[in-house]
Amino acid sequence: MFMWWCRCTQIKTYSWDNAQVILVGNKSDLEREIVLERERDLERESDLERERDLEHERVLEHERDLQREMVLERESVFA
């Protein structure tokens, strides 16, 4: 921020009185923020993947339980 202010002051000091100043930037000062957002997104993605895997395991366990119950019912019918 200080460097920008210094340059702007120099332009105003050494230019004509009616000079117009246009500031142009490339958002390089936001690089850290962008990196942090990307890290946060990756964390969210891995959290979602873990939740998906847990839900998948629950579904598989439920299906196994249903199959066990069906087997037990068949055994009791034929016993």
Side-chain angles (χ1 to χ4, degrees):
M1 181 74 165
F2 175 73
M3 290 177 64
W4 169 81
W5 180 255
C6 183
R7 289 182 185 142
C8 188
T9 304
Q10 289 174 348
I11 291 170
K12 288 289 192 180
T13 302
Y14 298 109
S15 65
W16 298 281
D17 291 337
N18 62 351
Q20 296 180 357
V21 177
I22 298 174
L23 295 177
V24 179
N26 61 3
K27 298 185 181 181
S28 64
D29 57 328
L30 299 177
E31 184 175 348
R32 176 170 165 69
E33 196 172 312
I34 291 170
V35 168
L36 292 176
E37 286 180 16
R38 177 70 179 140
E39 289 174 358
R40 186 191 67 226
D41 291 345
L42 289 173
E43 288 174 10
R44 285 182 181 167
E45 183 180 347
S46 70
D47 289 346
L48 289 173
E49 286 177 357
R50 274 194 297 271
E51 287 180 27
R52 186 196 65 216
D53 291 344
L54 286 173
E55 183 62 26
H56 183 71
E57 279 297 316
R58 285 188 210 112
V59 168
L60 289 177
E61 186 63 31
H62 180 69
E63 288 176 356
R64 282 185 228 124
D65 289 344
L66 290 175
Q67 288 175 353
R68 282 186 207 115
E69 287 178 19
M70 289 172 48
V71 168
L72 290 174
E73 286 179 13
R74 281 189 204 144
E75 288 176 354
S76 66
V77 168
F78 293 113

